[in-house]
Amino acid sequence: MKQVILYGLVAAAGAASGTALADDDTGAWYLSPMLQYSVLDDRRPAKDDFGYDFAIGKNFAPHFAGELNYSNGSYPIHGMAHDNLGAYTVDGLVKFLPGSVIDPYFIAGDGIMNDAVGRGLPSYESWTAEAGLGALTAMGSQTGSFRVQLRTEVKYRREFIQNTAYNPNNPGDVLYGLGVQFEFGAPVPPAPKMAEVTPPPEPTPPPPPPPPPPPPPPPPPPAPPRRVSFSADALFAFNSAVIRPEGMSALDTFASELRGTQFDHIHVIGYTDRIGSDKYNLWLSRQRAHAVETYFVDKAGVDAGKIEAEGRGKADPVTKPGECGAKQSPKTIACLQPDRRVEIEVSGEKR
């Protein structure tokens, strides 16, 4: 039974791992109702069974949270009624990867345990201590002030009581928990600012033209524009408009090829996939297009007056409707990779 529960906790965490990244939740309050399965100490007369757990807490820092916790379970005893175990504890959580889709944590605390056996037998209150590991997995968008996370947890709880007929001395139980955590009042990041683009300097007036020469023969028709597409995943990190070192190398190679081209205009167009809101995708595609434009001007010496950047968001997808499925998952994100791109169109001719 222990292996089945552990497999269920891991599978539930993996199912939600394709959602958006969470932001810093410092200062947010949260409520965590959980279903709990208790594997009781072999010395107890009661059998393993399900109970419940409820916690209210606050995120005091990116890596630390504190909570008040109440758990309860009624466990059957052969030939009797039930052994009712209820615990009130104060716990601290140390988070290892705050801001990630899956945030593992360590939990430890102590409190009061009430152990009551049925059929009129006495109950006992004792001090108890617990420690364990868990994980918070983002569910849906994590950018607003209200957030929902999947919570999985396994704890060891030890009860320090006197030895009785129904309560062995210092029994220890293993608790497996699965539930949902609701956060309230998480900080909302400010809207990103658009990068300021310095306009090119005014060109110097040319000298008076010489007398016109004889008319030249008609020029050949202009060559069709050259279009090159770069994968946004190769140029930028996920959800970022900062060019990666690998992306700089690819842009440098393209810029070296431009040195043999007499070009009139360069058009940089950024695209995203269909995941996310229209407003955010349009903003991200513009930021990435402007980043490529700035790199060509500053690093490759391209004339700023001959290059233009534009973001079109999720428009003009390469994938076909329904090709990648409607459910958001790692498989869907990988399938939509051709839609996340930066296209560069050069109008000119080879020297």
Side-chain angles (χ1 to χ4, degrees), residues 8 50 64 72 143 194 236 241 260 263:
F50 286 95
F64 179 75
N72 186 276
T143 57
M194 294 294 293
F236 307 94
F263 58 89

Side-chain angles (χ1 to χ4, degrees), residues 2 25 76 78 105 115 123 137-138 140 150 163 191 194-195 211 234-235 240 260 275 297 300-301 304 323 333 348:
K2 299 178 184 178
D25 55 3
H78 181 68
Y105 63 83
D115 191 341
S123 62
T137 304
L150 180 70
N163 190 14
M194 294 294 293
L235 296 180
S240 171
I275 298 175
V297 173
E323 181 180 351
I333 293 174

